[in-house]
């Protein structure tokens, strides 16, 4: 896979728009409370395609497959481990269905396993590598344009994901961390450490997604930009949610508020921007407008 | 704090297992009471670890290591605590609620509670209301600790509290809830007895609940 449109676009210096949230938007569309969104790949695929289409219409250049929890380790919990390959493949098919006839790129989403590697946790490194390899293979074979290892918090697990992905796929690789304790991840990783360790593994893009507030995410971005020589992916949450009287999460950051920050994100070094939890298609439409302004 | 207890306290905070077990053994050999070792050395050390976590000095790995070191120390004094008929602080049935597979936070809470001499029955992740009810019955628990990391699964906390009511157990247990998307307000709204923002505070809240 010598030629990649994604990498060509990046090296031409073009700013790109990635999509918004998957989980919170599917919930707003009726994803049952307590169900991981990967389940809808099998059970309610039309809604996934519709959400992808909404992001494409909003101006996304890249959409992510609904395969965040698609490692066998993560799917084990919902009894779907045996269907891992099928879920990943289907997730890609749904994304391709939504982008048919457009230039929009499809990125294979790979989230954390939900377990901690040894010695701190119980997960063997080789088991993690194998699980990530299996997911990366299914996504690659189904035809994604790039792989996005996202919402990572632990260097060991993210490294296992990169090794797994690289062992089966030569697609462009984005690795994105969630700094949910401000500018550190829950295991204490700083953007500079992440940059040093993950760049050394030979990835194409470093990123920040999810995390805490927009302010904290911007700080993390500034720290990363200081040390990174790779292009930067940036998909912050639309702030942190509070709950309304019916216990539904409300994100107070409006599309206008989020879009108003886009120039700052770009100035701080982000080349690919989008949003994580709470980012609706309307948020994304205004973000895209700001990027392309 | 000084001498042997200070040694235990410092070595737990440093996450030094060899030093901790050495200090605990020497403290026992020197005739210190296991209760004193537990309360003055270990529990205080874990409280300090919790404080360091809240301040952003320590992160999850440091907490995990300290909790593990503390458990190694606890294993040494446990036989004597049992012999001395020291009662545990209480029995906690803990789990991540139905539909939620995130158990890192819950595991930390369990370790911190064990560190504070609670008996902990860990039901794991994706625990249904019925499983909580059954576990309370079969273990005679006096605390139910529920965790959720998702805004979509946290409503299952209320469902579990309702199930405890329906089973006639609500008066017998205190309900402690926690997890990233929760708040004190939410805990009150669903009728929980206590809320903790993170694993380190959970111990203090659990203790206050059993004392109440």
């Amino acid at each position: 896979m010598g030629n990649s449109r994604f990498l060509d676009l990046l090296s031409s210096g073009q700013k790109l728009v990635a999509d918004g949230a998957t989980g919170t938007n599917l919930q707003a569309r009726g994803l049952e409370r307590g169900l991981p969104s990967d389940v809808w790949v099998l059970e309610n695929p039309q809604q996934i395609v519709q959400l992808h289409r909404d992001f494409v219409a909003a101006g996304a250049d890249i959409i992510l497959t609904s395969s965040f929890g698609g490692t066998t380790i993560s799917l084990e919990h919902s009894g779907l481990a045996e269907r891992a390959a099928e879920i990943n493949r289907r997730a890609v098919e749904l994304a391709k269905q939504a982008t048919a006839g457009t230039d929009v790129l499809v990125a294979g989403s790979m989230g954390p396993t939900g377990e901690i590697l040894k010695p701190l946790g119980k997960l063997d490194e080789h088991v993690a590598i194998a699980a990530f390899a299996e997911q990366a293979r299914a996504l690659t074979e189904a035809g994604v344009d790039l792989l996005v290892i996202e919402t990572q918090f632990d260097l060991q697990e993210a490294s296992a994901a990169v090794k797994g992905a690289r062992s089966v796929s030569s697609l462009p690789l984005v690795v994105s961390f969630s700094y949910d304790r401000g500018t550190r991840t829950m295991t204490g990783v700083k953007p500079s450490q992440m940059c040093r360790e993950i760049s050394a593994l030979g990835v194409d893009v470093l990123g920040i997604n999810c995390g805490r507030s927009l302010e904290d995410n911007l700080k993390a971005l500034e720290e990363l930009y200081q040390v990174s020589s790779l292009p930067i992916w940036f998909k912050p949450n639309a702030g942190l949610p509070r709950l309304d009287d019916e216990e539904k999460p409300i994100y107070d950051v409006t599309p206008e508020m989020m879009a108003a920050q886009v120039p700052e994100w770009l100035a701080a070094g982000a080349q690919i921007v989008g949003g994580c939890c709470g980012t609706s298609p309307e948020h994304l439409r205004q973000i895209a407008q700001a990027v392309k302004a | 704090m000084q001498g042997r207890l200070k040694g235990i306290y410092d070595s737990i905070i440093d996450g030094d297992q060899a030093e901790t077990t050495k200090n605990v053994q020497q403290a026992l050999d020197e005739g210190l009471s296991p209760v004193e070792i537990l309360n003055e050395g270990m529990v205080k050390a874990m409280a300090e670890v919790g404080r360091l976590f809240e301040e952003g000095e320590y992160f999850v790995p440091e907490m995990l290591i300290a909790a593990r070191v503390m458990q190694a120390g606890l294993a040494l004094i446990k036989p004597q605590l049992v012999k001395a008929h020291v009662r545990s602080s209480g029995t906690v049935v803990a789990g991540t609620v139905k539909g939620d597979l995130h158990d890192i936070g819950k595991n930390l809470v369990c370790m911190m509670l064990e560190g504070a001499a609670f008996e902990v029955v860990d039901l794991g992740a994706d625990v249904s209301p019925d499983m909580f009810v059954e576990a309370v019955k079969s273990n005679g628990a006096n605390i139910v600790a529920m965790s959720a990391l998702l805004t979509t699964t946290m409503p299952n906390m209320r469902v579990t509290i309702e199930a405890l009511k329906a089973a006639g157990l609500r008066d017998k247990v205190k309900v402690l809830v926690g997890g990233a998307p929760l708040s004190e307000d939410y805990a009150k709204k669903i009728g929980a007895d206590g809320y903790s923002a993170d694993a380190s505070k959970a111990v203090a809240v659990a203790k206050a609940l059993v004392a109440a």
Side-chain angles (χ1 to χ4, degrees), chain B residues 37-48:
Chain B
I37 295 172
L38 175 68
N39 292 333
E40 297 304 311
M42 299 181 169
V43 173
K44 282 196 177 155
M46 289 311 285
E48 175 63 7

Side-chain angles (χ1 to χ4, degrees), chain B residues 85-101:
Chain B
H85 298 292
V86 176
R87 290 186 39 189
S88 74
S89 308
T91 299
V92 184
V93 162
T96 306
V97 296
K98 184 155 181 54
D100 202 322
L101 312 169

Side-chain angles (χ1 to χ4, degrees), chain B residues 61-107:
Chain B
E62 290 84 357
M63 290 241 298
L64 284 170
I65 290 166
R68 197 172 293 168
V69 168
M70 152 113 198
Q71 281 175 328
L74 197 59
L76 289 176
I77 60 169
K78 226 172 189 171
Q80 310 215 23
L81 285 172
V82 173
K83 224 187 286 172
H85 298 292
V86 176
R87 290 186 39 189
S88 74
S89 308
T91 299
V92 184
V93 162
T96 306
V97 296
K98 184 155 181 54
D100 202 322
L101 312 169
H102 299 86
D103 62 357
I104 294 169
K106 183 265 304 163
N107 291 347

Side-chain angles (χ1 to χ4, degrees), chain A residues 116-170:
Chain A
I116 298 180
L117 269 71
K118 285 179 179 173
L120 281 177
K122 292 175 188 155
L123 183 61
D124 276 311
E125 188 188 22
H126 69 91
V127 175
I129 293 176
F132 284 117
E134 198 179 331
Q135 183 181 22
R137 178 182 286 120
L139 293 168
T140 303
E141 286 176 358
V144 296
D145 299 296
L146 61 146
L147 293 171
V148 180
I149 295 166
E150 59 176 340
T151 328
Q152 298 292 314
F153 53 87
D154 178 39
L155 286 172
Q156 231 190 326
E157 180 172 4
S159 301
V162 173
K163 285 176 198 160
R166 278 287 183 242
S167 71
V168 296
S169 175
S170 56

Side-chain angles (χ1 to χ4, degrees), chain A:
Chain A
M1 271 177 236
N3 46 14
S4 154
R5 198 156 58 81
F6 173 63
L7 295 182
D8 290 346
L9 286 167
L10 288 181
S11 56
S12 75
Q14 191 170 329
K15 312 284 187 203
L16 298 173
V17 178
D19 63 7
T22 300
T24 52
N25 282 307
L26 291 180
Q27 283 148 24
R29 294 164 189 224
L31 175 65
E32 206 176 306
R33 289 173 166 183
L35 217 56
S37 51
D38 313 70
V39 172
W40 262 20
V41 170
L42 300 175
E43 291 176 3
N44 201 349
Q46 305 87 334
Q47 286 284 2
I48 303 221
V49 173
Q50 190 54 51
L51 180 62
H52 287 325
R53 287 203 172 118
D54 291 348
F55 283 132
V56 170
D61 300 307
I62 303 169
I63 60 166
L64 278 89
T65 56
S66 185
S67 57
F68 181 82
T71 58
T72 45
I73 299 167
S74 185
L75 287 169
E76 185 84 49
H77 302 288
S78 33
L80 290 169
E82 282 169 18
R83 301 181 72 179
E86 178 193 355
I87 288 174
N88 286 292
R89 211 170 41 239
R90 280 293 287 149
V92 178
E93 284 165 12
L94 300 176
K96 291 198 151 235
Q97 207 176 315
T99 55
T102 72
D103 279 345
V104 175
L105 297 165
V106 173
S109 165
M110 299 171 64
T113 61
E115 291 188 29
I116 298 180
L117 269 71
K118 285 179 179 173
L120 281 177
K122 292 175 188 155
L123 183 61
D124 276 311
E125 188 188 22
H126 69 91
V127 175
I129 293 176
F132 284 117
E134 198 179 331
Q135 183 181 22
R137 178 182 286 120
L139 293 168
T140 303
E141 286 176 358
V144 296
D145 299 296
L146 61 146
L147 293 171
V148 180
I149 295 166
E150 59 176 340
T151 328
Q152 298 292 314
F153 53 87
D154 178 39
L155 286 172
Q156 231 190 326
E157 180 172 4
S159 301
V162 173
K163 285 176 198 160
R166 278 287 183 242
S167 71
V168 296
S169 175
S170 56
L171 286 176
L173 206 49
V174 178
V175 179
S176 177
F177 272 55
S178 170
Y179 296 92
D180 68 354
R181 286 186 67 81
T183 55
R184 301 271 204 118
T185 70
M186 66 182 247
T187 61
V189 179
K190 294 188 236 180
S192 57
Q193 292 170 300
M194 175 268 201
C195 177
R196 192 170 54 236
E197 301 268 332
I198 303 298
S199 301
L201 299 174
V203 305
D204 301 287
V205 176
L206 295 178
I208 292 168
N209 73 294
C210 209
R212 217 156 55 176
S213 64
L214 284 173
E215 293 72 29
D216 284 338
N217 269 312
L218 181 59
K219 268 187 231 153
L221 172 62
E222 287 164 348
E223 283 186 38
L224 181 61
Y225 188 47
Q226 277 187 3
V227 290
S228 174
S229 54
L230 293 171
I232 298 176
W233 168 280
F234 188 62
K235 285 185 75 182
N237 283 347
L240 280 183
R242 62 185 174 80
L243 293 164
D244 70 4
D245 289 340
E246 286 167 357
E247 292 163 24
K248 288 199 179 122
I250 304 293
Y251 287 82
D252 288 322
V253 175
T254 62
E256 292 76 17
M257 288 158 74
M258 212 156 160
Q261 294 215 0
V262 168
E264 263 181 294
W265 301 350
L266 299 175
Q271 191 174 357
I272 307 138
V273 300
C276 203
C277 307
T279 309
S280 69
E282 178 56 20
H283 282 84
L284 196 78
R285 193 181 65 78
Q286 300 206 19
I287 290 170
Q289 264 179 2
V291 171
K292 288 167 184 175

Side-chain angles (χ1 to χ4, degrees), chain B:
Chain B
M1 198 190 311
Q2 52 185 339
R4 204 58 73 198
L5 287 174
K6 177 85 165 85
I8 294 169
Y9 176 87
D10 287 340
S11 55
I12 289 175
I13 292 170
D14 289 344
D16 187 335
Q17 181 159 336
E19 193 63 22
T20 300
T21 48
K22 191 184 87 188
N23 275 309
V24 170
Q25 193 54 56
Q26 283 175 349
L28 288 171
D29 294 346
E30 287 162 12
L32 265 77
S33 87
V35 177
E36 202 177 355
I37 295 172
L38 175 68
N39 292 333
E40 297 304 311
M42 299 181 169
V43 173
K44 282 196 177 155
M46 289 311 285
E48 175 63 7
V49 169
R51 194 190 65 79
L52 291 168
F53 179 76
E54 274 156 39
E55 297 220 320
E57 179 104 0
Y58 274 18
F59 291 88
V60 168
E62 290 84 357
M63 290 241 298
L64 284 170
I65 290 166
R68 197 172 293 168
V69 168
M70 152 113 198
Q71 281 175 328
L74 197 59
L76 289 176
I77 60 169
K78 226 172 189 171
Q80 310 215 23
L81 285 172
V82 173
K83 224 187 286 172
H85 298 292
V86 176
R87 290 186 39 189
S88 74
S89 308
T91 299
V92 184
V93 162
T96 306
V97 296
K98 184 155 181 54
D100 202 322
L101 312 169
H102 299 86
D103 62 357
I104 294 169
K106 183 265 304 163
N107 291 347
L108 272 174
V109 170
C110 288
M111 280 198 272
M112 298 295 276
L113 287 171
E114 276 175 1
F118 282 89
E119 298 288 331
V120 178
V121 181
D122 184 354
L123 301 178
D126 191 21
V127 179
S128 69
D130 288 350
M131 288 161 72
F132 275 110
V133 167
E134 277 312 307
V136 168
K137 279 188 202 160
S138 55
N139 295 287
N142 52 350
I143 293 187
V144 171
M146 286 186 274
S147 167
L149 203 90
L150 303 174
T151 48
T152 48
T153 56
M154 49 193 273
N156 286 328
M157 293 180 162
R158 188 202 286 279
V159 178
T160 304
I161 291 173
E162 296 301 326
L164 288 167
K165 274 186 203 161
L169 295 168
R170 187 62 188 91
D171 299 338
K172 298 192 172 65
V173 293
K174 300 284 185 185
V175 175
L176 170 61
V177 296
L182 274 79
S183 64
E184 187 90 55
D185 259 11
Y186 181 76
K188 278 194 191 126
K189 211 187 281 178
I190 62 168
D193 301 298
Y195 158 75
S196 167
D198 55 51
S200 67
K201 285 200 196 104
V203 171
V205 178
K207 284 194 162 169
L209 287 179
V210 289

